[in-house]
Amino acid sequence: MAEPTEPARPILFASYPDSGLLNPLLVLAGELARRGVPGLVFATDEHRRADVADLSAASEVEFLSLGEEVAGLSPTGWDDETYRAVMNETSRIRSLQAFLRQSQDPHAMVAKYQVLERAVERTRPALMVLDAFCGYAVDLALTKGIPFVLSVPFLASNMVSAAGLGGRSFTPRGFPTPRSGLPLRMNLRQRVTNQLFRLRTMATFASPAMLRRMRYEDAVWAEIGVTRSIRNPMDKLERAELALCYSIADLDYPFTVPDWLRLTGPMIPPLPQAPPDPGLTAWLDAHESIVYQAFGTLMRFSRDEVEALVEVARRLDGRHHVLWKLPAGQQHLLPPRDTLPPNLRVESWLPSQLDVLAHPHVRLFFNHAGSNSFHEGLFFGKPQVMWPLFVDCYDIAVRVEDHGIGLRLNRTDTVEPDDATDKLTRVLADPSYRERAERMAALMSAAGGRHAAADLLLELPVLEGSGQGTRMS
C-alpha cells in the first residue's frame, strides 16, 4: 500500500447530491481523511452537509455548499409526468428517450458552476475528483485545465460502449447496447433489437427538439465564457487522469478494459457503519432466514404494488422473514398494520443498509437492480432477485441471471405475487446461487475497494508536484 502523499494543494471532490452518485465519493474522501491526507474539500448540495461533516478523521474534510437542491437536476425532483415517462416499463427505448429528453435547467447548472468556480479560485486544487455525471464540474475542470479523476459507480461497459452506430467504443462489435437490457448471447430478434436501439438513440439526439435544446444550452453557457466543446462522454473519460469504476470485470460481459479505467470493486466504508438499532439487531439475530428488500430512493409505489409485495411476504411466512425498507412517505399505502403478515418487518429508515446486508441471517437481497444496491449486496455474498426500475437497471438484471447469482421478475411494470414468490423461493432453495454470489464477493474484496481507489489517487504524479499526471499502467 502506498504511503500517504501530501499534495501541495487540495483535493477537491464534487458530486450531485443523489445517493447513488455521492455515496462512493463520500467513502473515498473518508478513506483519505482516515489516512491523514490534508487539504480535502467536498462540494455538493447543502442538504448533504452533515454527511460530509461525518468524514473528518485524522484530517479534516471541508464542506463546500453548492446551494440548495434544484428540482429537475436530480431524479428525486422529477414531477410525476417525467417520472412516469422515464419509468416506461413497456419500452426500454422509450424509457431511455424520456430520460435523455429530461431537460435540466442550464441556468441552474450555471449557478452551480459559478459557485464551484469561486471555490476553485480560492483553493487552487491540485486535483478534482468528480462524479462522472456531474457535467458542470467536469466542464469546469476542463475549462480551467485542472487534472481530474472521474468516479463511475456503474458497470464499466455502460461507460465505454458506443450508444450509437459508428461511435468510438471499447467493447466489441455486437456487444449489448448500454441500457438495452440485452444479453451477450442474442438470438436473431435480439440482434435486430440491439441495432434498432442504437439507431433510435442516435435519432433522439438528432431530433429537432433535442438540437434546439442543445443550442439553447450552449448559448447559456457561452454567456459566462464556457465553451462546451466536449459533449461525448468518451472524450471526457479519456481526458481524465483516471476513471475509478466501482465494479469488477467478472460481473460484466468480456471486453478489453482500457488502462485508464480502473476497476476497484464497490466502495464500502469500515463496518459497522452506524451504531446499531437494538430492536432491529435483536430481530435480525432471532430469525435465521431473512429476505431484505429495498428498491432505492427513486421508486414511487402504487397501492397495488405495495399490496402485492405484502402478499409475497405472506406467502413466505413459516419459511422466511422479510425486512422491507419502505420510505415513510409511502407507508400510507400499506394495509392496516394489524393485517400485515407476522414475518414482515417494515422500516422507514435503517442506521445502515450495509450493516443489514452484512448480517449472516440475511440470505437474499430483493432490489431494483440499481448499481450501488447490486454491488453492495454482492460484496456481502448475497444472491439477488431483481425488479429492474429503469435505464441501466435492465443491464444489471440480465447479467445477474447470466452469471447465475439471481433471477429477475418476469414483468417490470408491476409485481406479480406468483412470480415474485417463485423467484425468491427458487433462489433461496438452490445453494448454487449463494455459492456463485460468494465467489463474486471474494473477487470484489480482492479488487481492493476504497483502499485500492485511495492508493491510485495518491500515486498520481499531479499530487507529487510534477505537473500533469500520467495514466496508470
Side-chain angles (χ1 to χ4, degrees), residues 97-113:
Q97 287 172 333
F99 179 75
L100 295 175
R101 287 194 298 265
Q102 163 58 25
S103 179
Q104 295 185 333
D105 180 1
H107 294 285
M109 286 191 286
V110 165
K112 301 282 188 188
Y113 176 99

PDB file of all heavy atoms in Angstrom, residues 97-113:
ATOM      1  N   GLN A  97     -35.322   7.326 -24.069  1.00  0.00           N
ATOM      2  CA  GLN A  97     -35.558   8.589 -24.766  1.00  0.00           C
ATOM      3  C   GLN A  97     -36.136   9.633 -23.814  1.00  0.00           C
ATOM      4  O   GLN A  97     -35.743  10.803 -23.866  1.00  0.00           O
ATOM      5  CB  GLN A  97     -36.505   8.346 -25.947  1.00  0.00           C
ATOM      6  CG  GLN A  97     -35.844   7.609 -27.108  1.00  0.00           C
ATOM      7  CD  GLN A  97     -36.844   7.202 -28.176  1.00  0.00           C
ATOM      8  OE1 GLN A  97     -38.035   6.994 -27.909  1.00  0.00           O
ATOM      9  NE2 GLN A  97     -36.372   7.070 -29.405  1.00  0.00           N
ATOM     10  N   ALA A  98     -37.052   9.223 -22.955  1.00  0.00           N
ATOM     11  CA  ALA A  98     -37.604  10.169 -21.984  1.00  0.00           C
ATOM     12  C   ALA A  98     -36.528  10.653 -21.030  1.00  0.00           C
ATOM     13  O   ALA A  98     -36.493  11.829 -20.655  1.00  0.00           O
ATOM     14  CB  ALA A  98     -38.749   9.506 -21.204  1.00  0.00           C
ATOM     15  N   PHE A  99     -35.623   9.761 -20.642  1.00  0.00           N
ATOM     16  CA  PHE A  99     -34.517  10.137 -19.762  1.00  0.00           C
ATOM     17  C   PHE A  99     -33.599  11.142 -20.462  1.00  0.00           C
ATOM     18  O   PHE A  99     -33.182  12.143 -19.866  1.00  0.00           O
ATOM     19  CB  PHE A  99     -33.737   8.887 -19.359  1.00  0.00           C
ATOM     20  CG  PHE A  99     -32.567   9.160 -18.465  1.00  0.00           C
ATOM     21  CD1 PHE A  99     -32.751   9.467 -17.124  1.00  0.00           C
ATOM     22  CD2 PHE A  99     -31.272   9.112 -18.954  1.00  0.00           C
ATOM     23  CE1 PHE A  99     -31.671   9.720 -16.296  1.00  0.00           C
ATOM     24  CE2 PHE A  99     -30.184   9.368 -18.143  1.00  0.00           C
ATOM     25  CZ  PHE A  99     -30.389   9.670 -16.805  1.00  0.00           C
ATOM     26  N   LEU A 100     -33.290  10.887 -21.728  1.00  0.00           N
ATOM     27  CA  LEU A 100     -32.417  11.787 -22.474  1.00  0.00           C
ATOM     28  C   LEU A 100     -33.070  13.134 -22.721  1.00  0.00           C
ATOM     29  O   LEU A 100     -32.397  14.172 -22.758  1.00  0.00           O
ATOM     30  CB  LEU A 100     -32.017  11.146 -23.814  1.00  0.00           C
ATOM     31  CG  LEU A 100     -31.159   9.888 -23.731  1.00  0.00           C
ATOM     32  CD1 LEU A 100     -30.955   9.294 -25.121  1.00  0.00           C
ATOM     33  CD2 LEU A 100     -29.819  10.172 -23.064  1.00  0.00           C
ATOM     34  N   ARG A 101     -34.387  13.129 -22.891  1.00  0.00           N
ATOM     35  CA  ARG A 101     -35.095  14.381 -23.145  1.00  0.00           C
ATOM     36  C   ARG A 101     -35.330  15.185 -21.873  1.00  0.00           C
ATOM     37  O   ARG A 101     -35.703  16.359 -21.954  1.00  0.00           O
ATOM     38  CB  ARG A 101     -36.442  14.097 -23.825  1.00  0.00           C
ATOM     39  CG  ARG A 101     -36.330  13.679 -25.285  1.00  0.00           C
ATOM     40  CD  ARG A 101     -37.679  13.757 -25.978  1.00  0.00           C
ATOM     41  NE  ARG A 101     -38.637  12.855 -25.358  1.00  0.00           N
ATOM     42  CZ  ARG A 101     -38.894  11.624 -25.793  1.00  0.00           C
ATOM     43  NH1 ARG A 101     -38.238  11.139 -26.831  1.00  0.00           N
ATOM     44  NH2 ARG A 101     -39.802  10.877 -25.190  1.00  0.00           N
ATOM     45  N   GLN A 102     -35.137  14.544 -20.722  1.00  0.00           N
ATOM     46  CA  GLN A 102     -35.363  15.244 -19.465  1.00  0.00           C
ATOM     47  C   GLN A 102     -34.506  16.508 -19.426  1.00  0.00           C
ATOM     48  O   GLN A 102     -33.284  16.463 -19.435  1.00  0.00           O
ATOM     49  CB  GLN A 102     -35.028  14.324 -18.291  1.00  0.00           C
ATOM     50  CG  GLN A 102     -34.816  15.002 -16.958  1.00  0.00           C
ATOM     51  CD  GLN A 102     -36.007  15.821 -16.493  1.00  0.00           C
ATOM     52  OE1 GLN A 102     -37.126  15.553 -16.879  1.00  0.00           O
ATOM     53  NE2 GLN A 102     -35.758  16.799 -15.664  1.00  0.00           N
ATOM     54  N   SER A 103     -35.164  17.630 -19.417  1.00  0.00           N
ATOM     55  CA  SER A 103     -34.466  18.913 -19.522  1.00  0.00           C
ATOM     56  C   SER A 103     -33.965  19.365 -18.156  1.00  0.00           C
ATOM     57  O   SER A 103     -34.725  19.430 -17.191  1.00  0.00           O
ATOM     58  CB  SER A 103     -35.410  19.976 -20.102  1.00  0.00           C
ATOM     59  OG  SER A 103     -34.752  21.218 -20.178  1.00  0.00           O
ATOM     60  N   GLN A 104     -32.672  19.646 -18.092  1.00  0.00           N
ATOM     61  CA  GLN A 104     -32.076  20.222 -16.890  1.00  0.00           C
ATOM     62  C   GLN A 104     -31.861  21.708 -17.144  1.00  0.00           C
ATOM     63  O   GLN A 104     -31.212  22.088 -18.121  1.00  0.00           O
ATOM     64  CB  GLN A 104     -30.761  19.532 -16.551  1.00  0.00           C
ATOM     65  CG  GLN A 104     -30.944  18.069 -16.177  1.00  0.00           C
ATOM     66  CD  GLN A 104     -29.638  17.429 -15.737  1.00  0.00           C
ATOM     67  OE1 GLN A 104     -28.566  17.855 -16.140  1.00  0.00           O
ATOM     68  NE2 GLN A 104     -29.726  16.417 -14.902  1.00  0.00           N
ATOM     69  N   ASP A 105     -32.390  22.522 -16.288  1.00  0.00           N
ATOM     70  CA  ASP A 105     -32.318  23.964 -16.461  1.00  0.00           C
ATOM     71  C   ASP A 105     -30.859  24.409 -16.532  1.00  0.00           C
ATOM     72  O   ASP A 105     -30.128  24.311 -15.539  1.00  0.00           O
ATOM     73  CB  ASP A 105     -33.017  24.639 -15.283  1.00  0.00           C
ATOM     74  CG  ASP A 105     -32.991  26.158 -15.384  1.00  0.00           C
ATOM     75  OD1 ASP A 105     -32.459  26.690 -16.374  1.00  0.00           O
ATOM     76  OD2 ASP A 105     -33.493  26.806 -14.448  1.00  0.00           O
ATOM     77  N   PRO A 106     -30.393  24.878 -17.700  1.00  0.00           N
ATOM     78  CA  PRO A 106     -28.981  25.271 -17.810  1.00  0.00           C
ATOM     79  C   PRO A 106     -28.631  26.432 -16.892  1.00  0.00           C
ATOM     80  O   PRO A 106     -27.496  26.544 -16.426  1.00  0.00           O
ATOM     81  CB  PRO A 106     -28.827  25.645 -19.289  1.00  0.00           C
ATOM     82  CG  PRO A 106     -30.211  25.955 -19.760  1.00  0.00           C
ATOM     83  CD  PRO A 106     -31.109  25.067 -18.967  1.00  0.00           C
ATOM     84  N   HIS A 107     -29.593  27.305 -16.586  1.00  0.00           N
ATOM     85  CA  HIS A 107     -29.313  28.418 -15.678  1.00  0.00           C
ATOM     86  C   HIS A 107     -29.000  27.900 -14.273  1.00  0.00           C
ATOM     87  O   HIS A 107     -28.129  28.435 -13.578  1.00  0.00           O
ATOM     88  CB  HIS A 107     -30.495  29.390 -15.641  1.00  0.00           C
ATOM     89  CG  HIS A 107     -30.727  30.088 -16.940  1.00  0.00           C
ATOM     90  ND1 HIS A 107     -29.928  31.116 -17.388  1.00  0.00           N
ATOM     91  CD2 HIS A 107     -31.660  29.879 -17.917  1.00  0.00           C
ATOM     92  CE1 HIS A 107     -30.369  31.536 -18.563  1.00  0.00           C
ATOM     93  NE2 HIS A 107     -31.415  30.805 -18.908  1.00  0.00           N
ATOM     94  N   ALA A 108     -29.716  26.851 -13.857  1.00  0.00           N
ATOM     95  CA  ALA A 108     -29.430  26.255 -12.548  1.00  0.00           C
ATOM     96  C   ALA A 108     -28.047  25.633 -12.532  1.00  0.00           C
ATOM     97  O   ALA A 108     -27.302  25.756 -11.548  1.00  0.00           O
ATOM     98  CB  ALA A 108     -30.491  25.212 -12.207  1.00  0.00           C
ATOM     99  N   MET A 109     -27.670  24.963 -13.623  1.00  0.00           N
ATOM    100  CA  MET A 109     -26.339  24.363 -13.681  1.00  0.00           C
ATOM    101  C   MET A 109     -25.251  25.430 -13.736  1.00  0.00           C
ATOM    102  O   MET A 109     -24.186  25.270 -13.130  1.00  0.00           O
ATOM    103  CB  MET A 109     -26.240  23.421 -14.886  1.00  0.00           C
ATOM    104  CG  MET A 109     -26.988  22.121 -14.672  1.00  0.00           C
ATOM    105  SD  MET A 109     -26.632  20.881 -15.927  1.00  0.00           S
ATOM    106  CE  MET A 109     -27.560  21.539 -17.317  1.00  0.00           C
ATOM    107  N   VAL A 110     -25.497  26.522 -14.441  1.00  0.00           N
ATOM    108  CA  VAL A 110     -24.539  27.618 -14.474  1.00  0.00           C
ATOM    109  C   VAL A 110     -24.334  28.185 -13.076  1.00  0.00           C
ATOM    110  O   VAL A 110     -23.203  28.499 -12.668  1.00  0.00           O
ATOM    111  CB  VAL A 110     -25.001  28.720 -15.456  1.00  0.00           C
ATOM    112  CG1 VAL A 110     -24.226  30.013 -15.230  1.00  0.00           C
ATOM    113  CG2 VAL A 110     -24.822  28.249 -16.897  1.00  0.00           C
ATOM    114  N   ALA A 111     -25.418  28.307 -12.306  1.00  0.00           N
ATOM    115  CA  ALA A 111     -25.290  28.821 -10.939  1.00  0.00           C
ATOM    116  C   ALA A 111     -24.411  27.903 -10.096  1.00  0.00           C
ATOM    117  O   ALA A 111     -23.555  28.371  -9.330  1.00  0.00           O
ATOM    118  CB  ALA A 111     -26.669  28.970 -10.312  1.00  0.00           C
ATOM    119  N   LYS A 112     -24.594  26.597 -10.230  1.00  0.00           N
ATOM    120  CA  LYS A 112     -23.748  25.646  -9.509  1.00  0.00           C
ATOM    121  C   LYS A 112     -22.298  25.757  -9.985  1.00  0.00           C
ATOM    122  O   LYS A 112     -21.359  25.727  -9.184  1.00  0.00           O
ATOM    123  CB  LYS A 112     -24.250  24.213  -9.719  1.00  0.00           C
ATOM    124  CG  LYS A 112     -25.670  23.942  -9.285  1.00  0.00           C
ATOM    125  CD  LYS A 112     -25.788  23.781  -7.795  1.00  0.00           C
ATOM    126  CE  LYS A 112     -27.193  23.323  -7.404  1.00  0.00           C
ATOM    127  NZ  LYS A 112     -27.400  23.327  -5.945  1.00  0.00           N
ATOM    128  N   TYR A 113     -22.137  25.871 -11.278  1.00  0.00           N
ATOM    129  CA  TYR A 113     -20.799  26.007 -11.870  1.00  0.00           C
ATOM    130  C   TYR A 113     -20.076  27.219 -11.279  1.00  0.00           C
ATOM    131  O   TYR A 113     -18.893  27.144 -10.907  1.00  0.00           O
ATOM    132  CB  TYR A 113     -20.935  26.158 -13.384  1.00  0.00           C
ATOM    133  CG  TYR A 113     -19.644  26.400 -14.141  1.00  0.00           C
ATOM    134  CD1 TYR A 113     -19.003  25.346 -14.791  1.00  0.00           C
ATOM    135  CD2 TYR A 113     -19.072  27.665 -14.234  1.00  0.00           C
ATOM    136  CE1 TYR A 113     -17.830  25.557 -15.504  1.00  0.00           C
ATOM    137  CE2 TYR A 113     -17.906  27.877 -14.944  1.00  0.00           C
ATOM    138  CZ  TYR A 113     -17.289  26.831 -15.578  1.00  0.00           C
ATOM    139  OH  TYR A 113     -16.131  27.048 -16.276  1.00  0.00           O
TER     140      TYR A 113
END
